[in-house]
Amino acid sequence: MELWFTEKQTEAFGITGKVKRTLHNEKTAFQQLNMIETEQFGNMLLLDGMVMTTERDEFVYHEMLVHVPLFTHPNPQKVLVVGGGDGGTIREVLQHPTVTKVVQVEIDGKVVEYSKQHLPHISSAYGNPRAELIIGDGFMHILNSSDEYDIILVDSTEPVGPAASLFTKGFYAGISKALKKDGIFVAQTDNPWFKGDLIRSAVQDTKEIFPIARLYTCNIPTYPSGMWTFTLGSKTYDPLEVEASRFFELNTKYYTPELHHASFVLPRFVKDLCK
């Protein structure tokens, strides 16, 4: 008998993959957590039935969330990651030698625990002396911070359950307060095929708070529609004006200096969401 997992991405569409075995199944205090081993994408983390990351394609999301803002800022030293319990975001942040500290606030410690066990390559940066892990509420951490971070990265699930508050204008305003005077933030903002209204709202809210607001995209095969967006808000630095001399060699599989700029070139239907 074959076992298949399907993520129902809308009421009429989903993505499916063949499962070798179930590695872990638990209802945590915050969400349903599953780890499965798949034929096509290796070990896969699911939260509330949604694909969060896989061994085979995780590098796209983590590299694009991190390296676009960190290369845009000329001297990123202190970075905050909200969410991202699999550890891939802090792994990428720590490739930047100017970073002296990355603070991660993850609400569900079970995500960290089972990522260490079943996604060791993704979670490999846990224990790094420049990284601090806080199991707690990222929303409240932001509200209690002021003029503290050079970069804030919102590595959240979709806007349901514990992540719902991370897609509000009030949260973006709190991020602005928590950033230094030349700070930058990036949040994952889902896909334009199914969640256009979410993207439109996120970009508009960011425009009202930050002098510079940009949307950029990448391709992630296991995420809904395969096309994913990130919304960037910056107080000073424009990601489109990063000079070639700023870039240095990284251990990446997706991100390149050329792609840094190209990712902001949007299809018309996506560009229309930013008006």
Side-chain angles (χ1 to χ4, degrees):
M1 184 182 72
E2 293 185 349
L3 178 63
W4 291 72
F5 162 77
T6 298
E7 177 184 344
K8 195 175 181 182
Q9 299 177 346
T10 74
E11 289 302 311
F13 182 81
I15 183 172
T16 188
K18 188 177 180 182
V19 178
K20 285 186 175 181
R21 57 177 175 150
T22 298
L23 301 170
H24 188 75
N25 175 24
E26 180 176 343
K27 179 71 173 178
T28 76
F30 300 97
Q31 55 209 337
Q32 178 63 42
L33 185 157
N34 296 90
M35 284 281 189
I36 59 176
E37 182 183 359
T38 69
E39 290 274 2
Q40 193 71 47
F41 286 95
N43 289 358
M44 178 183 289
L45 168 63
L46 311 172
L47 295 177
D48 288 333
M50 297 178 287
V51 178
M52 293 295 107
T53 195
T54 83
E55 289 182 307
R56 302 276 168 78
D57 70 352
E58 58 85 14
F59 60 88
V60 183
Y61 175 87
H62 293 125
E63 290 177 15
M64 292 302 287
L65 174 64
V66 171
H67 299 311
V68 171
L70 267 77
F71 273 119
T72 298
H73 196 292
N75 188 31
Q77 296 184 40
K78 190 172 184 181
V79 178
L80 173 66
V81 177
V82 177
D86 55 69
T89 298
I90 65 169
R91 180 197 66 197
E92 295 302 314
V93 168
L94 290 169
Q95 288 204 61
H96 290 257
T98 61
V99 173
T100 58
K101 187 171 187 180
V102 54
V103 178
Q104 179 184 15
V105 184
E106 164 61 51
I107 198 168
D108 194 342
K110 292 291 186 178
V111 176
V112 177
E113 177 183 346
Y114 290 105
S115 293
K116 288 180 179 179
Q117 184 173 341
H118 298 294
L119 302 168
H121 173 67
I122 303 175
S123 61
S124 58
Y126 284 122
N128 187 293
R130 290 188 288 155
E132 177 186 358
L133 173 64
I134 299 171
I135 302 301
D137 188 331
F139 185 89
M140 294 307 299
H141 184 89
I142 289 285
L143 294 185
N144 293 327
S145 302
S146 182
D147 191 30
E148 186 172 352
Y149 296 101
D150 298 299
I151 305 283
I152 294 177
L153 305 171
V154 184
D155 183 0
S156 66
T157 62
E158 294 188 49
V160 295
S165 63
L166 305 184
F167 290 82
T168 62
K169 187 176 180 180
F171 182 59
Y172 298 149
I175 286 175
S176 180
K177 179 178 71 73
L179 285 168
K180 295 179 182 178
K181 64 181 180 180
D182 61 349
I184 301 172
F185 101 96
V186 171
Q188 73 85 6
T189 43
D190 219 292
N191 79 91
W193 290 100
F194 307 143
K195 297 293 182 66
D197 289 343
L198 184 153
I199 294 170
R200 184 181 289 109
S201 176
V203 172
Q204 184 59 44
D205 289 346
T206 302
K207 284 181 176 179
E208 293 179 12
I209 296 167
F210 290 85
I212 299 168
R214 304 285 188 193
L215 187 78
Y216 63 98
T217 68
C218 67
N219 174 262
I220 306 172
T222 56
Y223 281 11
S225 84
M227 186 180 194
W228 211 249
T229 72
F230 301 90
T231 298
L232 180 149
S234 177
K235 294 184 177 183
T236 303
Y237 309 111
D238 191 334
L240 297 182
E241 297 178 357
V242 180
E243 297 179 356
S245 60
R246 184 84 59 79
F247 296 103
F248 55 84
E249 190 69 24
L250 288 174
N251 180 22
T252 62
K253 295 181 180 179
Y254 190 90
Y255 177 89
T256 66
E258 296 82 8
L259 191 64
H260 176 105
H261 294 94
S263 64
F264 291 92
V265 180
L266 305 175
R268 185 170 296 278
F269 84 101
V270 181
K271 192 174 182 179
D272 287 344
L273 297 174
C274 302
K275 292 180 178 179

